[in-house]
Amino acid sequence: MFALENWYVAARTEEIDSQPLGRKLLNRDVVLFRSENGELHALGAMCAHRGADLSKGQVIGKSIQCPWHGWQYDGTGRCDAIPSIGKCGKIPNGARVPSYPVHESQGYVYIWMQPDTSPTWRPPEHDFFEARYHVKTPVRFQRGSFINTVEAASDDSHVYLTHAKTIGVGAPSALAPVVDVMTTDDGRAVEGKMIWPAERKRRFTGFNAWYQRHLLGLGEDSNTHDRTYRMELSGLVIHTYRKADGNEFIVYAATTPADETTNWFFTGTIDTNPNRSLIGNFLYWLNRDRAAKVFDEDEEMIASTLTHDLPGGHPRPISVNADSMGLAFRRMYGKQVEAEGGTPAWPVAAG
Ligand code: FES
Ligand SMILES: [Fe+2]
């Protein structure tokens, strides 16, 4: 069961232009569109008449028109025109579709999955989203449960094995502990960090040092670099690596469930150094296929877990320190589900 009174990333700003965008989100078929004055709306995509898919229709003025018999719905989900009844005919009561609150900010479109309500809070803004060096990877649709996908995005203990062929090469088998795991005051994010003892940090030399410095802007191997984690209720996971020059290298991933076994996955990397070198940009461009490969490796693992098709995932998960961020997210997300009167689908600990 998912938390509905919650913001999720629905799309990137540039995905919604004059054409409506159809997207399955948390088991609902949703259509996102901009009315002709540019206002953004999200409606349930199933037409109230005979169920055609509104995302296959077109925007007319402030409304979206169903492709089948032309019924039109405004941003509130109310049907405001039915061609077949003529000018004097009455639009039937109940001719409406759900309307989901949306919030557009910093290049992302967020959706509140409880329709026809008014959210009391907004997704937090982050300065780093405005950084000049921001590489967004293509939006992915991938297999895996929501919880496994979010947890994998926060977890470093799988990197040396799952990603042995890409980023995990030579990673240490024992990780520094995850410490200071805390829920933020508003209860909508958990934060933690991984601090490496100086003697276990691995500084690259020669070509590797040059490559890492220009690729990530880091002076040492990213696998043994100190980092902070932040996981938001929305499914957004942020890793921050502070660099010697005071700037930050950031990797983020937002997971939004399409249904119980598939997700939308929005990811990017950011360097807050506004003067990032040209050669660094070029190396990153050369490297972009490797990023896609890393996500393929994760997806292959997550989608092949034996719990993949179980609605509640693993019935008796057992955790160690390296899982603390994931566990903290489970608790936070589970609390929200309970606050809505539901039962969390994913157990926190072995029962
Ligand atoms: S199904 Fe949409 S107008 Fe008929
Ligand atoms: Fe991974």
Side-chain angles (χ1 to χ4, degrees), residues 47 49-52 66 68-71:
C47 179
H49 179 221
R50 289 295 182 270
C66 178
W68 203 353
H69 316 92
W71 291 27

Side-chain angles (χ1 to χ4, degrees), residues 203-226:
R203 282 174 185 84
F204 278 141
T205 53
F207 175 76
N208 265 338
W210 180 88
Y211 191 79
Q212 280 260 342
R213 197 170 63 246
H214 284 296
L215 185 70
L216 306 180
L218 299 177
E220 61 203 10
D221 178 1
S222 61
N223 290 308
T224 62
H225 197 289
D226 297 347

Side-chain angles (χ1 to χ4, degrees), residues 62-195:
K62 60 181 175 39
S63 302
I64 186 163
Q65 183 193 49
C66 178
W68 203 353
H69 316 92
W71 291 27
Q72 291 179 24
Y73 301 88
D74 68 15
T76 70
R78 196 179 59 92
C79 177
D80 60 3
I82 298 180
S84 63
I85 61 175
K87 283 222 174 348
C88 309
K90 186 174 172 321
I91 293 175
N93 290 333
R96 55 175 302 121
V97 294
S99 167
Y100 297 90
V102 283
H103 177 70
E104 192 166 17
S105 165
Q106 300 187 298
Y108 282 96
V109 172
Y110 297 83
I111 186 168
W112 179 263
M113 288 307 298
Q114 190 70 274
D116 307 312
T117 57
S118 303
T120 53
W121 57 280
R122 296 273 177 268
E125 300 207 328
H126 297 291
D127 289 347
F128 59 74
F129 276 130
E130 316 281 353
R132 191 156 88 193
Y133 179 78
H134 183 170
V135 178
K136 295 176 181 170
T137 46
V139 178
R140 286 173 66 94
F141 178 71
Q142 58 183 46
R143 296 162 299 138
S145 76
F146 174 63
I147 201 72
N148 277 343
T149 306
V150 174
E151 286 186 355
S154 76
D155 161 50
D156 282 295
S157 67
H158 73 280
V159 174
Y160 84 103
L161 262 179
T162 306
H163 304 305
K165 295 198 188 106
T166 51
I167 53 172
V169 178
S173 57
L175 289 172
V178 181
V179 295
D180 297 345
V181 178
M182 284 188 297
T183 305
T184 53
D185 291 343
D186 60 12
R188 297 187 202 114
V190 287
E191 294 178 338
K193 43 184 138 157
M194 182 180 279
I195 307 292

